[in-house]
Structure formats: C-alpha cells, structure tokens
Amino acid sequence: MAIAVIMITVGCRTHKELQTETPEPVVEEKPAPERLDTIMNARYKYYSANFSCTVEGVKVTGQIRIVHDSMIWVSFSKVIELGRAVLTPTRVKGYAKVVNKYYDGDYATLSRRWGIDIDYATLEALLVGNCPPNCKREAEPIRGHDTVYLEYKQKSGATSKDRELSLVKNYKSKKLISTSMYSPAQNQRLRCTYSNTKDIEGRRLPATIGITLKNRSFDTNTKLSLEKITINQRESMPFSIPKRCKEL
C-alpha cells in the first residue's frame, strides 16, 4: 500500500508539472525561394550539323563541326565550296576562294580592324543555344508567365571591356529563347533567337537560329537553318589555306 501511495503521489505531481509546462512554439520553415536564373545548357564533346542561310541575298549552305572548348570548323558552299574557317580559343583562320583572300589572326585584331567583338567560348555557346560563359548577374531575374528575363555583365576576351547581356529563357524548359549582347567599346549589337528545338540524344538543341549583327562594318541579319544535327560523334576537320590566296 505504501508503494502504491508513493507511485500515485509521484504520478500526480508529474502530471501537474506537465500541465504547467509552456509548450515550445512551432516554427514553420519557409520554402527556399525558386531559382529563376537556372539555364539548361546542352553538354557535349563533339557537335556537327549541316546549315543553310541567306546573307545579303545570297543563299549558302555548309557544315559546322565543333570540338567543345577546342575548335569550331565551318565550310561554306554554293554548288561548289566557297571557303572554310577554323576558330580556336586564341585564333581565327579562314579563306574565301572566290576572292582568293585569307585571314589568320587573333580576336583582338578582329576587334580593331572590323569592330567585331567576339571570343571563342561565347561564339560556341551562341551556336548551340547555351548561356555564354563568365557571366555575372546584374539584376534580379524577372518572370513573365512562361518566360524569364535575365541581365548579365560579361568580360570581353577581345577588348577586356564588359559586355551587356540580356537573356530570355523558357520558364519550364529552362532553355534560352534569345541572347542579346551589346559591346559598348565597339558599339556592337548581336542578337540570336532560338526556335524549332530538337531532342538530340537527350539534349535540346535549336534547329533554327535568327542572327542580327550591327557594328561599324556590318549591318545584317540572317536565319541559320540546321539539319542532321549530331553530337558526340568525332569528325575530321581538314583545313589548309590555298597557296594562291593572299592575305586579307
């Protein structure tokens, strides 16, 4: 009986203490804010495609071959081959058979002579619809229903000055719809719009690229139509400047 009384007494005291304890406040964790600046870039080692476009009323066809971060090879044709170009991270080489001229120089020379502000990594990204590298966010992303607007600064490899980039991406797919690049140092405006995307081995790649370029040497626009796009299949990139060509 003594043991029972002690147990009842302790139990009542414990119950009383529990009743008088102040409950801990419940803190609701807020979900992390949605990342609107995520862009779905296509990853690949090798890329190739046939293309067609019309420049200044002249329709040309050709091929583009890319080794990621290493080389871009382009061949231009109109019934017969008109010329070729090879671009690497440090140099641009190309020739035009029609005028028997060739160019072999770096990107800084392109900028000084013709006002073309471009670098290898940015050009490669533009050709496959990826976000140009080394971009620093300049403003908070803005969502407009199915699209997201992004503002960046990017250091130019050719002029060492900042470029201004305005990107528009699809909210759901996170793929770029357009890239607009302004280079104040050269007063150059370059815009690429992407459409007709296709699934190539699980990567979404544009099959149509609208291109508008305006600087002191060019004021032109064209639509690049891409066909037979393949990735991760290595192809040769033969290039040599014909002996009869003279330096541009």
Side-chain angles (χ1 to χ4, degrees):
M1 288 180 64
I3 293 172
V5 170
I6 292 171
M7 291 179 65
I8 292 171
T9 303
V10 172
C12 290
R13 186 172 67 247
T14 304
H15 181 67
K16 185 177 180 180
E17 290 173 354
L18 288 172
Q19 285 182 321
T20 57
E21 287 180 356
T22 303
E24 292 289 334
V26 177
V27 179
E28 295 184 1
E29 293 187 3
K30 294 182 179 180
E34 183 180 18
R35 287 291 301 269
L36 293 175
D37 59 350
T38 303
I39 296 172
M40 190 64 68
N41 286 334
R43 297 191 177 188
Y44 58 90
K45 176 61 177 177
Y46 304 105
Y47 169 98
S48 66
N50 294 346
F51 74 86
S52 62
C53 63
T54 300
V55 181
E56 302 297 331
V58 179
K59 184 175 181 179
V60 297
T61 60
Q63 289 185 324
I64 299 173
R65 299 173 185 174
I66 300 173
V67 180
H68 180 55
D69 283 344
S70 179
M71 184 179 293
I72 299 172
W73 179 94
V74 186
S75 173
F76 304 91
S77 302
K78 185 175 176 59
V79 183
I80 61 172
E81 187 178 57
L82 300 177
R84 293 184 185 183
V86 167
L87 301 94
T88 67
T90 59
R91 207 157 189 85
V92 178
K93 298 180 182 181
Y95 64 86
K97 289 183 177 180
V98 178
V99 293
N100 289 330
K101 298 287 186 180
Y102 77 89
Y103 173 80
D104 183 358
D106 56 19
Y107 294 91
T109 302
L110 282 177
S111 177
R112 288 194 304 269
R113 292 183 63 178
W114 295 287
I116 301 173
D117 179 27
I118 197 67
D119 61 83
Y120 177 89
T122 298
L123 179 59
E124 183 181 331
L126 293 175
L127 286 173
V128 297
N130 284 351
C131 178
N134 305 319
C135 286
K136 182 179 179 181
R137 193 167 71 181
E138 189 70 9
E140 288 297 318
I142 299 174
R143 181 182 172 185
H145 191 53
D146 290 334
T147 54
V148 178
Y149 302 88
L150 306 162
E151 297 293 331
Y152 291 103
K153 291 280 190 179
Q154 183 205 34
K155 188 72 71 178
S156 165
T159 66
S160 298
K161 302 293 184 180
D162 283 343
R163 299 175 182 139
E164 299 172 9
L165 270 67
S166 298
L167 312 181
V168 181
K169 76 166 191 176
N170 181 280
Y171 171 71
K172 293 181 180 179
S173 69
K174 298 179 176 60
K175 294 293 295 183
L176 287 181
I177 298 172
S178 69
T179 297
S180 298
M181 184 173 73
Y182 174 60
S183 304
Q186 298 294 350
N187 194 27
Q188 173 182 280
R189 294 186 184 275
L190 174 62
R191 177 178 171 83
C192 293
T193 57
Y194 305 103
S195 59
N196 190 23
T197 58
K198 295 183 178 180
D199 187 291
I200 311 295
E201 297 188 17
R203 284 83 162 172
R204 299 297 297 177
L205 291 163
T208 303
I209 305 176
I211 303 172
T212 301
L213 172 64
K214 186 174 183 178
N215 57 24
R216 70 169 185 257
S217 299
F218 301 96
D219 186 356
T220 187
N221 63 82
T222 188
K223 182 172 69 174
L224 199 66
S225 298
L226 301 162
E227 297 180 339
K228 297 182 179 180
I229 302 172
T230 62
I231 60 172
N232 298 330
Q233 295 181 24
R234 188 168 188 171
E235 296 192 49
S236 63
M237 297 184 174
F239 181 86
S240 62
I241 298 173
K243 292 182 180 180
R244 67 178 180 277
C245 285
K246 296 181 180 180
E247 186 175 4
L248 182 63

